[in-house]
Amino acid sequence: MKPRIFSDSSSTAKLLSATAYIPRSATLLSLLVLAACAQVPTEPAALAAYNEANDPAEPINRTVFSANQWVDRNALRPVAEVYQDYVPNDVRKRFRNFSLNLKEPSVLVNDLLQANFTRAWNTTQRFAVNTTVGGAGLFDVATDWDLPHHSADLGQTFGVWEMGPGPSVQMPLFGPSNTRDAAGMVAGFFVNPLGFVPGNALQTVQMASMGVGVVDQRAETLSLTDGLEKNSVDYYATLRSMQTQRRAAFVEDGKAGKLTPRVNVGPVTPTPPEMLPPDKL
């Protein structure tokens, strides 16, 4: 039986969706080229600071950062403020749970790529429980069943296998990152198992969930970023440093491969025997 090549509209839609990420890859390549052309300071103190920041394309990155800030002030932040003020907290929590549940298949792929099989089993159970008992992920039942959530992405996976972070880059719309994580973000769109599900309905739901997730995350960080911007001598450098530390800790978390158990403050729903791993039965 010969394989069908673009024999239906869903295949064409997937191709168009994939090609939409090519400009992002081109942006990353351009930043790398510009980084290679940046001037390295020779004065010892300046050189030490330069090496610590690992930001050879800083002038370009600051320009991108300024553009990101403009978009945030004029588009994302106002929407996040309205979302925070007028959408009830319980509804926001349902959106957050739903968005996290759609990410679980990607987390599972990275758990397996990292050889974190305990985490992979946990992620599989979480997705099964929350998709069914949790009403398509609107309710995080799995956490009450001692199946805690954890994140994983390709940037972390690369780091787990000892790939260095590379120079800092400022991603258009996505903010501070590094070359390893930026490449992982782009590649991550192509290894998401849900992207291979036929039909356009799920892809539409994913895109809508991603949009709500961005707004929800921005709403959650409003007070934090307000304080940082107000009290930082150099807001760009502060965010760059925080992101560098956060991602380094994230990679170490992947290397450890441990689950963070839920701290119970009261009785919880017991874990059904069929959801226990084989060695716990």
Side-chain angles (χ1 to χ4, degrees):
M1 180 178 179
K2 294 183 179 180
R4 295 183 300 168
I5 301 178
F6 308 127
S7 58
D8 53 40
S9 60
S10 65
S11 297
T12 304
K14 289 180 182 178
L15 176 63
L16 293 175
S17 176
T19 56
Y21 299 113
I22 293 177
R24 293 177 184 169
S25 302
T27 299
L28 176 59
L29 180 60
S30 298
L31 288 172
L32 290 173
V33 173
L34 288 167
C37 299
Q39 185 176 1
V40 180
T42 56
E43 197 274 327
L47 180 61
Y50 173 89
N51 290 332
E52 183 178 1
N54 196 18
D55 192 359
E58 184 170 342
I60 303 299
N61 285 333
R62 284 185 180 272
T63 299
V64 177
F65 175 74
S66 296
N68 286 345
Q69 288 297 101
W70 187 91
V71 172
D72 181 68
R73 286 191 299 269
N74 293 280
L76 182 56
R77 181 188 177 91
V79 174
E81 289 174 339
V82 171
Y83 175 84
Q84 185 180 57
D85 292 341
Y86 294 100
V87 178
N89 183 63
D90 191 59
V91 175
R92 298 202 304 268
K93 187 175 181 180
R94 300 286 85 78
F95 285 151
R96 196 173 306 129
N97 289 342
F98 183 78
S99 180
L100 282 176
N101 192 57
L102 284 180
K103 295 177 181 177
E104 296 287 10
S106 289
V107 173
L108 173 61
V109 168
N110 282 283
D111 287 340
L112 293 172
L113 290 175
Q114 294 171 22
N116 284 331
F117 300 117
T118 298
R119 279 188 161 190
W121 174 240
N122 180 85
T123 302
T124 302
Q125 294 177 94
R126 275 190 59 84
F127 186 66
V129 168
N130 285 341
T131 301
T132 54
V133 183
L138 293 173
F139 297 89
D140 186 8
V141 179
T143 296
D144 285 343
W145 288 359
D146 293 326
L147 298 169
H149 171 74
H150 68 275
S151 297
D153 57 36
L154 272 179
Q156 183 193 51
T157 298
F158 293 154
V160 165
W161 296 109
E162 305 300 337
M163 180 185 290
S168 296
V169 295
Q170 188 76 203
M171 299 291 289
L173 301 180
F174 292 97
S177 186
N178 57 58
T179 53
R180 178 196 65 204
D181 293 339
M185 183 188 70
V186 174
F189 289 108
F190 299 98
V191 298
N192 182 1
L194 296 183
F196 296 94
V197 177
N200 297 324
L202 183 58
Q203 279 70 29
T204 302
V205 171
Q206 281 188 279
M207 293 301 295
S209 174
M210 184 183 301
V212 174
V214 169
V215 173
D216 181 77
Q217 185 176 20
R218 185 66 186 99
E220 289 290 302
T221 59
L222 282 172
S223 59
L224 172 63
T225 55
D226 285 349
L228 286 174
E229 188 168 10
K230 180 180 179 180
N231 300 310
S232 298
V233 176
D234 185 344
Y235 189 38
Y236 167 84
T238 298
L239 291 180
R240 179 185 63 195
S241 176
M242 289 182 63
Q243 178 70 354
T244 298
Q245 295 176 55
R246 188 183 75 84
R247 292 298 300 186
F250 189 50
V251 169
E252 291 304 314
D253 179 65
K255 290 180 178 179
K258 296 180 180 179
L259 297 172
T260 302
R262 179 177 184 269
V263 178
N264 295 327
V265 293
V268 297
T269 308
T271 305
E274 61 269 20
M275 297 310 301
L276 291 172
D279 61 330
K280 299 295 183 181
L281 292 175

